[in-house]
Amino acid sequence: MRATPDFDFALGESALMIRDTVARFADERIAPLAAKVDAEDWFPRDLWPEMGALGLHGMTVEEEWGGIGLGYLEHVIAVEEVSRASASVGLSYGAHSNLCVNQIRRWGTDAQKARYLPGLISGEQVGSLAMSEVGAGSDVVGMKLKAESVSGGFQLNGTKFWITNGTCADTLVVYAKTGEGSKGITAFLIEKGMAGFSIGQKIDKMGMRGSPTCELVFDDCFVPEENVMGPLHGGVGVLMSGLDYERVVLSGLQLGIMQACLDTVIPYLRERKQFGKPIGAFQLMQAKVADMYVALQSARAYVYAVARACDAGQTTRFDAAGAILLASENAFRVSGEAVQALGGAGYTKDWPVERYLRDAKLLDIGAGTNEIRRMLIGRELIGAV
């Protein structure tokens, strides 16, 4: 149950229906698993078909391809509600439904959509996207995974790193070098079980535990020509066009974390007594809750507005970066205040706020660091080269 009143953002009937449906599912099926997911670094794959049955994996996919044909606003809200119950599940869900499914929907051929979307949308399969490498994070063009043209397709050699859902993915969108510079990168569709493709080390993370992150290894991995997604050598365009939507959709993670913080803190302040009265009666604690609430609602307003712009085809790269910048920094601050509000209890594993703090930190770094986001926003606004 939310501890804060609803605010009318004029989201529309579809978005409100999605919020209500996903919130119920998250409360009933995801929230009871959240502590186990974190403590055991466990990915609850059994949830995927259940989420598929609700239409969550094909949010932005047209009905003709098995989706429900809604927009990025509804997708943000779905990620928000899942993440309110478990940000780890929310991260894996966003990586599956947006980074993988939505990219195939936007760039795949009809044959590729027919082959890969049904299993991904139903939740029978898990999807992933692989861009980053040990030496290529913010510097995308610096990637080293090489795709050499051979008879009938390409042969991939190299590694990817920091790959969300990598250990459990059946279908992956993978970027590799097919030439030099920014015009020498191509997107490929990789399947689990392809010869020469394997999982390397699993990464033990501070937060978002249960959303598996790993290394991918390509050793003379043959990929048929029909698995090239988008233009040959046009992978940077595929990648960057998707990054704007990724940033907006993943902002929902931070909204969900902030709501979870308030849902924990407000009842605690009403019940916990010191000096003979609830600590919520003290103005310092009231001010803390006020700041947390305003941080959440201001981030919501910006994220929802940019998601609407995405749906109208009017988003800008700097606003997509700005939305996740505001949401990520607000979420880390709000989760820190949640720990502080609970005092010693907040610093223990007995309460979930320490998990919220660990989880919130990821998106200061992932989907482009806040430093890169600021650089992008400033450069775009000033018009600097």
Side-chain angles (χ1 to χ4, degrees):
M1 291 290 293
R2 287 185 190 81
T4 56
D6 290 334
F7 181 84
D8 185 6
F9 284 98
L11 299 176
E13 184 177 347
S14 294
L16 293 175
M17 178 188 68
I18 288 293
R19 188 187 293 284
D20 184 58
T21 299
V22 182
R24 282 200 308 271
F25 176 79
D27 287 341
E28 294 171 6
R29 293 289 296 123
I30 302 176
L33 303 176
K36 174 183 170 72
V37 165
D38 178 68
E40 299 180 12
D41 199 10
W42 167 64
F43 176 63
R45 184 163 183 155
D46 286 350
L47 291 175
W48 249 235
E50 297 181 45
M51 295 168 75
L54 292 175
L56 301 187
H57 298 315
M59 295 283 295
T60 56
V61 178
E62 293 81 0
E63 292 183 16
E64 64 181 293
W65 295 111
I68 57 176
L70 296 177
Y72 294 105
L73 176 62
E74 289 85 2
H75 203 175
V76 166
I77 288 169
V79 170
E80 177 183 348
E81 290 301 328
V82 170
S83 302
R84 182 175 58 84
S86 168
S88 297
V89 176
L91 175 61
S92 282
Y93 165 57
H96 170 93
S97 59
N98 180 260
L99 279 68
C100 183
V101 172
N102 193 57
Q103 282 292 73
I104 295 173
R105 167 245 167 189
R106 294 179 66 238
W107 290 99
T109 64
D110 285 356
Q112 289 168 345
K113 292 177 185 178
R115 177 168 182 170
Y116 294 109
L117 287 181
L120 291 168
I121 289 173
S122 71
E124 177 186 349
Q125 296 187 340
V126 174
S128 178
L129 177 143
M131 177 199 75
S132 297
E133 299 177 7
V134 171
S138 299
D139 179 16
V140 176
V141 179
M143 67 176 62
K144 302 296 184 185
L145 176 63
K146 187 174 181 180
E148 182 180 0
S149 180
V150 296
S151 178
F154 294 83
Q155 192 165 271
L156 273 60
N157 282 285
T159 61
K160 290 291 180 182
F161 211 68
W162 311 112
I163 307 307
T164 301
N165 292 354
T167 62
C168 54
D170 301 283
T171 302
L172 306 94
V173 176
V174 176
Y175 295 89
K177 296 285 283 188
T178 49
E180 298 299 324
S182 61
K183 295 183 179 179
I185 294 174
T186 301
F188 295 90
L189 289 167
I190 304 297
E191 300 174 24
K192 178 182 178 181
M194 278 183 168
F197 170 55
S198 61
I199 305 302
Q201 63 175 301
K202 184 178 178 182
I203 300 166
D204 191 12
K205 306 189 301 293
M206 170 179 117
M208 295 295 188
R209 298 174 59 77
S211 177
T213 308
C214 74
E215 175 188 35
L216 306 179
V217 179
F218 298 86
D219 184 10
D220 288 340
C221 175
F222 175 75
V223 182
E225 190 172 352
E226 59 264 28
N227 280 43
V228 171
M229 189 179 78
L232 183 65
H233 309 310
V236 168
V238 175
L239 174 65
M240 298 308 292
S241 68
L243 186 57
D244 294 339
Y245 300 120
E246 172 189 345
R247 285 171 169 159
V248 176
V249 169
L250 292 187
S251 297
L253 283 165
Q254 307 299 68
L255 303 181
I257 290 172
M258 285 189 275
Q259 184 65 59
C261 287
L262 284 162
D263 293 344
T264 303
V265 167
I266 290 175
Y268 185 87
L269 297 185
R270 289 171 176 160
E271 296 168 8
R272 170 72 168 164
K273 292 186 178 181
Q274 291 287 280
F275 307 104
K277 54 184 175 181
I279 60 175
F282 297 104
Q283 290 181 346
L284 277 172
M285 302 310 294
Q286 293 168 6
K288 192 179 296 295
V289 168
D291 288 344
M292 293 168 67
Y293 177 76
V294 170
L296 168 59
Q297 296 294 67
S298 59
R300 268 187 176 140
Y302 193 13
V303 171
Y304 292 167
V306 177
R308 281 190 168 111
C310 288
D311 290 330
Q314 297 174 345
T315 190
T316 63
R317 182 147 296 168
F318 54 84
D319 277 312
I324 196 169
L325 172 65
L326 179 66
S328 68
E329 292 196 339
N330 281 9
F332 190 60
R333 186 171 68 253
V334 165
S335 56
E337 290 286 31
V339 173
Q340 189 71 20
L342 269 65
Y347 200 65
T348 71
K349 296 283 188 180
D350 294 333
W351 290 83
V353 289
E354 60 85 29
R355 165 163 52 91
Y356 301 156
L357 180 62
R358 290 185 285 108
D359 289 347
K361 186 60 186 173
L362 173 72
L363 285 188
D364 282 348
I365 301 165
T369 65
N370 281 343
E371 288 78 10
I372 291 293
R373 294 165 190 160
R374 283 189 165 89
M375 181 183 76
L376 186 156
I377 294 166
R379 183 180 62 201
E380 293 280 335
L381 293 176
I382 295 170
V385 177

